[in-house]
Amino acid sequence: MSVPPPRMTQTTQAVLRTLLDEPEKQLYGLEICSATGLPSGTVHPILARFEALGWVDSAWEQVDPREQGRPRRRYYRLNANGIGMARDALARAYETRTRIVGRLRPAGDAV
Amino acid sequence: MAVIGPRPVLPARWLLGIVVIVLPAHARDRYREEFRTELAELSVAAQVVQAFSLLVGSGALRVALSSREVSTLGNSRRDWRCRLGRHRYVGRDSDNPEMRGVGYLQCIRCGKRRDPPSYGVMPAVALGRGGG
């Protein structure tokens, strides 16, 4: 069985856009929180779903905590498959939103 | 494991302890370390706010982590009867050609395997309680 695709809520889209801004850059949880303006309690379940889908890879920071004077961080990054899937998912979400807004707009507003 | 660097304040650690208990056992160590690291980088007030946020989101995180577990084990693992040990076993032939005729029991809902009873003829369909 495959994990069902995530519901493309506004928060899910915000996390995806942050990860897609610089796909090659690894981000840790707090960076994603500050970039999206979302709390950790919202961001981490979304990241876990992306990991379950195989879109996101995560790994511990390769540093010596004693040298750094702090514990190691867990970094997240979209993988090659995830970049394509995330772009598709965002594009579909944008199309859906545009279609709904188009239906709601009064006929006289059409340009 | 020794904690290196600043530690979160006590209320944040308490909240984090509850968050970790909510998560599936296989993910606890990872998230305990990850969340502790993140909290330690914040101010005292922000640590408590962030820990509370993690507590609020812990249910969603548990569901997300469980979906990953289920995806590797099969859909039927969710069945409540199997969770209560009420498996529905059927007799199967062994895949090993050398073991032809020596079958096993497998739950048709969750796929759990069990050795057949060592006496008598193995039933085509055997209903019974799982051994945990």
Side-chain angles (χ1 to χ4, degrees):
Chain A
M1 175 198 146
S2 61
V3 181
R7 283 179 56 231
M8 292 304 287
T9 59
Q10 294 296 320
T11 51
T12 304
Q13 290 178 48
V15 173
L16 269 188
R17 274 197 288 274
T18 301
L19 293 170
L20 273 173
D21 273 347
E22 291 176 85
E24 70 287 347
K25 187 180 174 189
Q26 293 187 326
L27 299 169
Y28 68 102
L30 279 185
E31 284 180 310
I32 298 170
C33 291
S34 60
T36 55
L38 296 169
S40 274
T42 303
V43 167
H44 280 288
I46 293 172
L47 290 171
R49 279 200 295 276
F50 289 154
E51 275 198 275
L53 284 164
W55 294 10
V56 165
D57 293 332
S58 71
W60 289 112
E61 186 180 24
Q62 296 297 313
V63 295
D64 184 357
R66 291 175 203 286
E67 280 182 14
Q68 297 289 319
R70 59 167 176 78
R72 60 191 180 154
R73 296 167 176 162
R74 184 93 182 178
Y75 277 100
Y76 296 86
R77 185 169 65 174
L78 281 169
N79 56 33
N81 172 51
I83 291 170
M85 299 296 274
R87 285 187 177 139
D88 285 351
L90 283 176
R92 278 199 304 276
Y94 179 77
E95 280 173 20
T96 306
R97 193 169 63 239
T98 308
R99 201 168 54 242
I100 291 169
V101 170
R103 281 183 196 160
L104 294 175
R105 188 181 294 153
D109 286 5
V111 180
Chain B
M1 189 181 77
V3 177
I4 295 166
R7 296 171 72 191
V9 293
L10 193 59
R13 291 208 302 273
W14 282 344
L15 290 170
L16 184 55
I18 300 170
V19 170
V20 169
I21 289 171
V22 172
L23 301 182
H26 67 88
R28 284 180 191 155
D29 286 345
R30 169 194 159 174
Y31 281 99
R32 182 185 292 112
E33 189 175 354
E34 184 171 354
F35 292 158
R36 191 189 283 262
T37 304
E38 292 186 5
L39 291 176
E41 295 186 20
L42 298 169
S43 66
V44 171
Q47 282 180 21
V48 179
V49 172
Q50 194 83 337
F52 188 73
S53 160
L54 288 169
L55 182 61
V56 170
S58 59
L61 182 56
R62 181 187 168 86
V63 170
L65 293 168
S66 301
S67 74
R68 184 186 329 185
E69 193 178 2
V70 165
S71 72
T72 59
L73 291 176
N75 187 32
S76 52
R77 180 66 185 265
R78 287 176 176 171
D79 195 290
W80 64 273
R81 287 165 292 190
C82 295
R83 289 184 182 216
L84 293 174
R86 301 288 298 175
H87 297 279
R88 183 178 171 80
Y89 288 109
V90 294
R92 303 257 194 237
D93 281 334
S94 176
D95 300 331
N96 187 348
E98 294 180 4
M99 301 286 283
R100 192 70 66 196
V102 182
Y104 57 91
L105 298 175
Q106 186 171 31
C107 175
I108 58 170
R109 288 193 287 262
C110 71
K112 179 177 175 160
R113 292 185 181 193
R114 200 177 89 174
D115 288 334
S118 56
Y119 52 86
V121 179
M122 192 175 68
V125 176
L127 295 171
R129 293 170 192 227

